Amino acid sequence: MSVSTASLAFSGAGPIAAATRQRVLDAATALDYSGPNPLGRQLRRGRSGIVGVVVGDSLRRSFRDPVSIQVLDGLVSTLGPLDLGVLLIPGSSDPSGPAVDPLLESAAMDVAVIMWGGTTDDPMLGALRRRGIPTVLVEGQHQSDVSSVGIDDRGGMREATEHLLALGHTRIATVTLPFDRARGEGLVAPDQMDHLNWEITRRRLSGVTDAGVTPVAIWETPASLVEHGRTAGTALLSAPDRPTAIACQSDLLASGVVLAARELGLRVPEDVSVSGFDGLDLPWLQPDVLTTVVQPLEEKGAAVGHAVEDFLAGEGPSTRELPVELRIGTTTGPAPVSLG
Amino acid sequence: MSVSTASLAFSGAGPIAAATRQRVLDAATALDYSGPNPLGRQLRRGRSGIVGVVVGDSLRRSFRDPVSIQVLDGLVSTLGPLDLGVLLIPGSSDPSGPAVDPLLESAAMDVAVIMWGGTTDDPMLGALRRRGIPTVLVEGQHQSDVSSVGIDDRGGMREATEHLLALGHTRIATVTLPFDRARGEGLVAPDQMDHLNWEITRRRLSGVTDAGVTPVAIWETPASLVEHGRTAGTALLSAPDRPTAIACQSDLLASGVVLAARELGLRVPEDVSVSGFDGLDLPWLQPDVLTTVVQPLEEKGAAVGHAVEDFLAGEGPSTRELPVELRIGTTTGPAPVSLG
DNA sequence: GCCGTCGGTCGAATCGATTTGAGGGGTGCC
DNA sequence: GGCACCCCTCAAATCGATTCGACCGACGGC
């Protein structure tokens, strides 16, 4: 009985007599050998079957975001049938620690995915380049040696803004995702706009100006969470010249704004219109249904999966952009008649 | 220049002259060699540095549950410094597919974690046993060859129920987590109690009876989600002899019940008291603060991490049970005076 | 009856790093 | 000046599976 025959028996690849095969399997159970060791196989194949996924800054924050989750879900569903596993890699959560998680430096992986592709000089990207690991960037700045998956953020936001314009709104504020890794919170002065380092935030903001609107206020939030939306909404709607419409860069932020408006005794959409971005199910916002730009989250995950597949098939970097669609709900309506 | 010297240079383990080391490093950059291949190292060490984590049934469902997320977060935080990575393994989502994810059968991992340890005959546990992979079971039935991490579910639920009793409630209903993998939804008849196969559900239910209460109704939900809680609440509170208190097995279920009560025009806690389990932050439930049994979620994740650490240190299976604490909020109050 | 072919099995090389024990060269001490 | 010791380097074995090419026996065709 030779090792090669045993290997044949387990893999079922080469020609092997049924009797021999059975003999091998019997011997295996006798010696309680539980099948080939994945490590040996991986070394030989030169493939680990693992896709490293950098989900976001801290896992906790990322996982509280249904957007990340749904994309991840689509990704895992696509990768599963390909016999690929997903290795979770925390992004750099605290600035004091190392800029790059050690896993990114040393873990075995065939392809890496960065869920929220930040800036060009991202140290994570540098580490992956050095290791020669093909990388897929989601919602990041396009780069020649990296695959990109994204949506039409800019067009979607433009559409939402045009919808508000069509309703007669003129005082439009906007609540944004973080500008950079510093993740500030509050009004952004015009001279701070050069801190805008995060590609997704930049694109969605561009959509607003594309529609010909100069926001009366730009509020940066540190993360896409309901509570930050609430803070933003409270601040913006308590101001003397409050906006009649607020275009938010995410649904969670938008729902926070809606809650803040309700708390202030403002009616939505009679007193203030609110739009979001993502197209999440928000059952607890009832009876309101958010007006929002719907993006195909699971398809986005699947697109990432296909980008990974392409790499493993030996192809070069690819680019995928998915369409979005404006869904009009009950949180946007005609601008209130001016009392002034 | 020999391979062994190069190895020494990179690992820094053995004695090596600084000059030689530098020479090796220079040569490495010249040949753009990016450091040792993890696969070779893993094979040699016999360790992959990977912990497989079965998060729940479908990833999407699991990830919508803040409880899973926080435990996972605690786990990753503990595993990171140990240079261990987390491999996500989907549980068996659809019954038509294979009972066990292929990753569980063949992926390289040093230890496995099953987040919601189901039943004794769990096929996942069987597969891991066959492969000889040490396993940590969270909230599962204790088994001699497996490490367990859990909390005092039973005591916590008992405490919550006693709190309701002390407030004068006598008509107490309970909303539970799934009974088994079938994940039914609706009232559970007494003769269906033998389907109760899920350890965590069983334990929390036992806590209620421990307090000496026989629930006027037991409602099973298919998952710990707000919408299922809402459905349960709507059904239970529309019934003719509606309960005056509802003890829920999770906070998300409890918030759904609170929302349902509000929709039905019932005041919480004047008309109906609601208690939860988990101790989540639920800012959008404002102004209410849920009365609940607080469990240390991140510590639970850390405890899982330590269980993993123990295994890797060569120790045998261990058991960890964490304490819980009743936190009284605004959703429970004195039983309404009977009108009847 | 002989040769060609095919199905099945085996040996050996290979993937890449680690690690032990041996050996070589230099230095310090007597 | 010689010997002993120390520091460094290196050759070789090992982890476990895969796979190519070789080999062997049997069968079929001519």
Side-chain angles (χ1 to χ4, degrees), chain B residues 19 31 36 40 78 82 86 118 149 176 195 203 209 231 279 297 305 310 316 327 332:
Chain B
L31 302 167
T78 313
L82 301 174
V86 165
V149 174
T176 76
H195 292 144
R203 287 209 287 244
T209 49
T231 306
L297 291 168
D310 283 357
R327 185 176 66 199
T332 48

Side-chain angles (χ1 to χ4, degrees), chain B residues 98-137:
Chain B
V100 172
D101 192 278
L103 284 175
L104 211 59
E105 299 277 18
S106 64
M109 51 184 144
D110 299 336
V111 181
V113 175
I114 300 183
M115 277 296 204
W116 299 106
T119 55
T120 319
D121 60 335
D122 195 324
M124 299 194 286
L125 217 48
L128 291 168
R129 277 210 187 90
R130 185 155 19 84
R131 292 187 59 190
I133 295 179
T135 303
V136 180
L137 219 53

Side-chain angles (χ1 to χ4, degrees), chain B residues 23-320:
Chain B
R23 213 150 48 87
V24 171
L25 263 44
D26 288 349
T29 43
L31 302 167
D32 67 37
Y33 170 82
S34 52
N37 180 330
L39 260 35
R41 183 207 308 267
Q42 288 176 14
L43 175 60
R44 184 66 233 253
R45 293 244 167 100
R47 287 252 171 109
S48 63
I50 286 184
V51 178
V53 177
V54 183
V55 186
D57 277 44
S58 86
L59 283 188
R60 186 162 12 149
R61 183 146 51 187
S62 312
F63 282 150
R64 283 178 67 187
D65 182 5
V67 176
S68 299
I69 298 314
Q70 284 186 51
V71 175
L72 192 60
D73 191 57
L75 174 61
V76 173
S77 306
T78 313
L79 257 33
L82 301 174
D83 259 322
L84 294 172
V86 165
L87 179 70
L88 280 186
I89 302 177
S92 46
S93 49
D94 73 301
S96 63
V100 172
D101 192 278
L103 284 175
L104 211 59
E105 299 277 18
S106 64
M109 51 184 144
D110 299 336
V111 181
V113 175
I114 300 183
M115 277 296 204
W116 299 106
T119 55
T120 319
D121 60 335
D122 195 324
M124 299 194 286
L125 217 48
L128 291 168
R129 277 210 187 90
R130 185 155 19 84
R131 292 187 59 190
I133 295 179
T135 303
V136 180
L137 219 53
V138 184
E139 294 288 351
Q141 204 168 19
H142 186 72
Q143 315 211 18
S144 59
D145 61 341
V146 160
S147 282
S148 295
V149 174
I151 56 169
D152 185 13
D153 295 283
R154 194 161 172 171
M157 202 64 191
R158 172 184 181 147
E159 226 180 316
T161 310
E162 285 170 343
H163 165 64
L164 294 175
L165 282 178
L167 289 168
H169 293 277
T170 52
R171 300 186 52 76
I172 301 177
T174 188
V175 176
T176 76
L177 295 168
F179 271 39
D180 56 14
R181 301 215 167 267
R183 295 176 173 267
E185 177 162 31
L187 280 178
V188 178
D191 64 328
Q192 294 176 318
M193 292 299 288
D194 52 346
H195 292 144
L196 180 40
N197 214 0
W198 214 301
E199 185 63 12
I200 186 173
T201 310
R202 179 205 307 277
R203 287 209 287 244
R204 295 194 183 168
L205 205 46
S206 300
V208 174
T209 49
D210 282 356
V213 166
T214 304
V216 296
I218 298 177
W219 181 282
E220 177 190 3
T221 65
S224 175
L225 293 176
V226 176
E227 57 230 59
H228 296 309
R230 181 197 300 263
T231 306
T234 306
L236 291 174
L237 294 173
S238 306
D241 279 341
R242 64 174 158 81
T244 64
I246 302 182
C248 304
Q249 289 192 355
S250 90
D251 279 358
L252 292 189
L253 292 174
S255 16
V257 170
V258 170
L259 293 183
R262 287 186 189 164
E263 282 162 20
L264 290 171
L266 296 173
R267 292 164 306 161
V268 176
E270 290 81 359
D271 297 320
V272 58
S273 288
V274 179
S275 75
F277 201 113
D278 288 336
L280 300 182
D281 262 344
L282 301 168
W284 43 269
L285 206 60
Q286 282 189 357
D288 279 317
V289 176
L290 199 61
T291 293
T292 189
V293 179
V294 183
Q295 62 165 316
L297 291 168
E298 269 173 73
E299 285 88 331
K300 193 150 104 178
V304 175
H306 294 137
V308 168
E309 206 175 348
D310 283 357
F311 269 136
L312 291 180
E315 299 172 23
S318 56
T319 300
R320 287 175 171 78

